[in-house]
Amino acid sequence: MKFRGKIVDVACLNHFTRVISTISKLTKSCILRLTPQHLFFVLSGKVTNGGVSMWCELSQANFFDEYQMEGFSPEDNEICLEVTPENLSRALKTTQNAKAVKVKLTKKHCPCLTITAELPTLSSISRVVTHDIPVEVIPRRLWHEFKEPSVPDFHVSIYLPPLKTMKNVVDKMKNLSNFLIMEANLRGEMNLKIETDLVSVTTHFKDLGNPPWGDDASQGGGAARRWDPEAMTQARVDIRKLQQFLIGQQVNPSKAMCNIVHDTVVHLILLHEDVSLQYFIPAVA
Amino acid sequence: MLTSKRSRSYIEKITGCLNVPNRFENLNGSKCERFFSAFGRAIQALSRIGDEFWLDPTLKGLALRAVNPSHSAYSCFLFSPLFFQRYKVGSGPSSVPFKCKLSMKSVLPLFRCLTSIERSVDQCQISVSSSLTDRVTVQLFCRHGITKTYNLHFQESEALQAVFATHLCPNMLKCPARLFADMVMHFPMSQEEVTLSTSSLRVSLRNYCEEGKNHMKMMHTQMSLHPDEFDHFELGEDSDITFCLKELRGLLAFAESHCLPVSVHFGTAGKPVCFSVEDLVVEARVVLATLTDSESRSASQPSGVVTTSEPRWRSPNAPRPCQRPPVPQTLMF
């Protein structure tokens, strides 16, 4: 298995750093899947991380100026690593003004992703910074756990209000309750609600719009067609999980939407031209 | 507990009074520096070293010193009388030492938010008068005629003095504080120790990982640069020294905020390293013990911090300075 990539463009480096930083806010540890065309950051919904799962897809050509990889085998041309995004983020943050940043899979004291940055100086000789980030290579037999999740058969799909506004609302609500109810209907209305013995608070959003998913049954929407457009579908989620998602947002998405399966799961999607991030928060009773 | 009746009697004769102007026209009249914040930053830098520090007014200036509990780090800031608008050391016999030890906990809150202090405080007066009580009085004269007075208890205790002959060190580096900041920014604030390797071709800084539990999971970072980047580079022998970065950060922040060059004097592994800065009115230094290369330490080794016992490196059982008898203490470096 071989992997090496090089980022020269400052804007790309900056963007890549922001994506990694966003991911580092969502999870302590995740899986990095490298394929010839894409990089995927995956968190599969295990009980240990509260059932939350994540899927982040980056197209390598939009970030890397050079990108070479040789996977497990020609048939399974992929590399699957367990990484700590916090480490990646820290390494990238200090190399923002670098002339070039190289990322390479190396064998040091243990398998590592080595990030080497060439930093500019006043003289002609550059400074070099190397970060060896320990990773764990995931064996082929476990790869099946990190497949792309399918879009759930949601009842309602809705565009999210500005994430900053949403964050402010959720931050306030967190002081009052540990659980938040997300409600939405097919008329472009969404409510964020908390209910405790002492107080009920609801924030109403309207005219958000519902994304057109088309008639493709595989894209979900089967349940949505049967759902009464006026009726609210709802899911009660751990408020910290939602807050985590909103805090970490450093990528300004061109589209942010949310699919809700009644009492089952909240599926949040952020789309950017070259990045997509999906985040699943399971509903709790 | 260290005050005896006898020693108090001579303290009573001595009164010190210092005024620190917030904005002060330098003697050359060329630049206006924020002197009060310099003083505050010095306290903050010392707080990285120990929980207490010594205030030592002398004719040469006001010295602030601190040493860490395991005696592996020492720091001293000396503000010359020119730093102050008014500087007066009492007329006691000059040979009599005047030493007071203050708890960092009680002083640090005064200097916590330097930006707001810079805005609101016009003048600061620090006086030590022990006619009635063992107290240091800090008065902040603020805008709108507000005066804040802090009375801080001190313990009478001989100050530590680290004797470190920098001219005997085979190696010396000097560079602007900015370069040091660029070097250490690659390491997390929680990073304890770093290793500085120098050879005539390369200078590099890397994080030091203790063998053991998390060794495999740790991120290894190395930063290397060319000796030409230093203003001054004198290398007697190649060396690899490991010292505590946490205790150094305070001095680096102080140097950076005043755009002062930092000098490093050092030898080989196991011998202490000294970081120092100086300008017309202030001198500051931090002396840090470095890790020995091997377990076997030859008795003839003249280095190290004499007061610590094995293991030399941050021994939790090392005697704290306050528990020592009130005899003049000298740390030999």
Side-chain angles (χ1 to χ4, degrees), chain B residues 6-301:
Chain B
R6 187 184 57 80
S7 60
R8 182 175 289 192
S9 63
Y10 67 66
I11 288 289
E12 280 166 7
K13 292 179 203 150
I14 303 166
T15 55
C17 180
L18 339 153
N19 282 9
V20 187
N22 190 7
R23 292 190 164 269
F24 178 73
E25 198 73 15
N26 190 308
L27 275 192
N28 302 328
S30 56
K31 53 180 179 178
C32 197
E33 287 180 358
R34 286 166 302 179
F35 276 41
F36 188 67
S37 81
F39 196 78
R41 282 216 170 76
I43 302 271
Q44 285 177 355
L46 290 168
S47 73
R48 300 236 180 204
I49 306 273
D51 298 333
E52 45 207 11
F53 72 101
W54 281 262
L55 196 67
D56 180 11
T58 64
L59 289 173
K60 276 164 69 190
L62 177 69
L64 306 174
R65 302 176 216 273
V67 66
N68 73 347
S70 64
H71 288 202
S72 64
Y74 163 84
S75 179
C76 172
F77 284 78
L78 179 69
F79 293 95
S80 89
L82 288 175
F83 174 85
F84 304 95
Q85 212 167 44
R86 194 154 65 88
Y87 183 87
K88 200 176 90 197
V89 178
S91 54
S94 58
S95 60
V96 173
F98 175 83
K99 305 287 161 65
C100 56
K101 185 172 75 178
L102 287 158
S103 143
M104 202 47 97
K105 239 198 214 154
S106 61
V107 181
L108 205 53
L110 273 68
F111 300 98
R112 183 134 291 153
C113 184
L114 290 176
T115 42
S116 80
I117 285 179
E118 271 168 32
R119 255 182 278 131
S120 63
V121 180
D122 292 326
Q123 206 180 48
C124 165
Q125 178 169 319
I126 301 167
S127 50
V128 188
S129 57
S130 53
S131 50
L132 293 169
T133 46
D134 295 338
R135 273 188 190 168
V136 174
T137 307
V138 179
Q139 280 188 303
L140 303 180
F141 299 95
C142 307
R143 297 263 163 86
H144 314 298
I146 298 169
T147 305
K148 296 178 185 168
T149 307
Y150 300 87
N151 286 309
L152 310 164
H153 255 293
F154 70 80
Q155 265 187 350
E156 193 184 319
S157 158
E158 291 295 335
L160 286 151
Q161 285 260 35
V163 180
F164 180 70
T166 50
H167 62 276
L168 294 177
C169 287
N171 304 330
M172 193 273 210
L173 302 176
K174 190 171 183 177
C175 67
R178 184 71 234 157
L179 182 68
F180 261 108
D182 285 347
M183 285 168 84
V184 300
M185 76 165 188
H186 299 283
F187 301 95
M189 291 306 271
S190 57
Q191 182 64 46
E192 292 275 349
E193 291 106 20
V194 288
T195 304
L196 177 73
S197 304
T198 35
S199 74
S200 52
L201 296 172
R202 216 80 193 128
V203 176
S204 78
L205 196 64
R206 61 176 185 272
N207 57 342
Y208 174 77
C209 315
E210 257 172 302
E211 297 289 329
K213 42 186 186 345
N214 285 328
H215 179 62
M216 294 300 275
K217 283 280 159 211
M218 261 193 75
M219 179 164 152
H220 291 232
T221 300
Q222 176 162 349
M223 151 104 209
S224 64
L225 36 84
H226 195 269
D228 283 356
E229 288 208 53
F230 292 87
D231 295 345
H232 197 97
F233 185 83
E234 224 177 272
L235 194 68
E237 46 189 320
D238 290 3
S239 80
D240 265 341
I241 51 168
T242 302
F243 52 87
C244 183
L245 178 62
K246 270 190 175 170
E247 287 162 336
L248 178 63
R249 282 191 194 265
L251 182 85
L252 294 182
F254 179 86
E256 207 190 342
S257 66
H258 294 88
C259 300
L260 297 175
V262 180
S263 309
V264 194
H265 290 87
F266 59 103
T268 48
K271 302 199 178 148
V273 55
C274 173
F275 293 83
S276 55
V277 296
E278 63 177 63
D279 74 352
L280 286 172
V281 293
V282 62
E283 262 178 65
R285 58 159 57 179
V286 169
V287 184
L288 300 170
T290 65
L291 270 184
T292 38
D293 238 352
S294 56
E295 301 298 81
S296 58
R297 256 171 71 229
S298 65
S300 63
Q301 200 169 348

Side-chain angles (χ1 to χ4, degrees), chain A residues 72-90:
Chain A
F72 175 76
S73 68
E75 301 82 58
D76 298 303
N77 196 11
E78 268 188 38
I79 299 173
C80 209
L81 306 167
E82 187 178 350
V83 297
T84 310
E86 170 63 32
N87 282 345
L88 273 177
S89 160
R90 194 155 62 72

